Amino acid sequence: MKRLCKILFTLTLCLGVFVMASVNADAKNISGVRAVSSDGKIIVSGTAEEGTLACAVFVYDSTESTVLDMETCAVKEDSTFRYQMSKMYAKGDYVVKVADYDGGNYQTTTVKVTDKTEENIKDTTTNSTTTVKSPKTSEETPWYFMVAALLLLGVSPILLRRCQ
């Protein structure tokens, strides 16, 4: 019986450590963004902080009030990304925002879609004035972390008492 209690106690501790480790994901920052138009498509490229795996790319109308498209793209090992949005866009101005897939701050740039391929687009850096917290990032402790901690605290004394 004591051996079973020790095994259960160890498994409970391992589960608690696993849950705590899986909850802590650090959001990386996008350090630069560039967007160009080519035949009605928007091509987004830039650099990200080392360790970034993927980014979320949002395309807004010129007033930034309506999200027109959202796609994700992979970040290469050299911390760069280049992605062509799958949607065709009408002529006009668009705002492109890019953030780490796990959250972090948006980097914003504008692009003008024309009939021709255009390369005259503004670059942004980490000093961008329009960095907004992405919706994925939260300062609150996730509820499942709290439930796991409470279960761990509740089960541990019971197992310890039975093992003695």
Side-chain angles (χ1 to χ4, degrees):
M1 184 67 165
K2 284 188 177 187
R3 185 172 184 191
L4 179 63
C5 287
K6 287 180 182 179
I7 291 171
L8 288 175
F9 181 72
T10 304
L11 287 175
T12 305
L13 285 178
C14 290
L15 177 65
V17 170
F18 175 74
V19 169
M20 286 185 267
S22 65
V23 169
N24 256 341
D26 292 330
K28 307 289 185 191
N29 290 313
I30 303 299
S31 52
V33 175
R34 180 175 169 79
V36 296
S37 68
S38 176
D39 299 324
K41 296 262 187 176
I42 294 177
I43 302 168
V44 181
S45 61
T47 56
E49 188 177 331
E50 187 175 331
T52 306
L53 301 175
C55 15
V57 180
F58 297 86
V59 178
Y60 289 81
D61 62 359
S62 61
T63 64
E64 294 185 48
S65 60
T66 305
V67 178
L68 302 174
D69 200 7
M70 189 289 264
E71 295 183 24
T72 59
C73 68
V75 177
K76 298 177 187 172
E77 287 184 21
D78 64 353
S79 297
T80 62
F81 60 91
R82 181 176 171 82
Y83 185 74
Q84 179 174 320
M85 302 298 283
S86 57
K87 185 177 178 181
M88 294 287 288
Y89 296 91
K91 289 186 215 176
D93 294 328
Y94 297 93
V95 176
V96 177
K97 294 183 178 185
V98 181
D100 178 18
Y101 186 78
D102 287 330
N105 294 328
Y106 288 114
Q107 285 294 321
T108 305
T109 190
T110 57
V111 62
K112 183 174 188 153
V113 175
T114 61
D115 288 335
K116 305 176 202 172
T117 300
E118 189 171 310
E119 293 288 335
N120 186 16
I121 307 301
K122 177 181 135 189
D123 284 326
T124 62
T125 63
T126 53
N127 295 331
S128 174
T129 57
T130 54
T131 54
V132 179
K133 208 65 154 162
S134 70
K136 184 122 176 136
T137 302
S138 175
E139 300 299 327
E140 299 174 15
T141 305
W143 64 270
Y144 45 87
F145 175 73
M146 295 175 83
V147 169
L150 288 174
L151 283 174
L152 182 63
L153 290 173
V155 171
S156 297
I158 295 169
L159 289 176
L160 283 175
R161 201 172 319 136
R162 286 193 175 185
C163 291
Q164 292 177 355

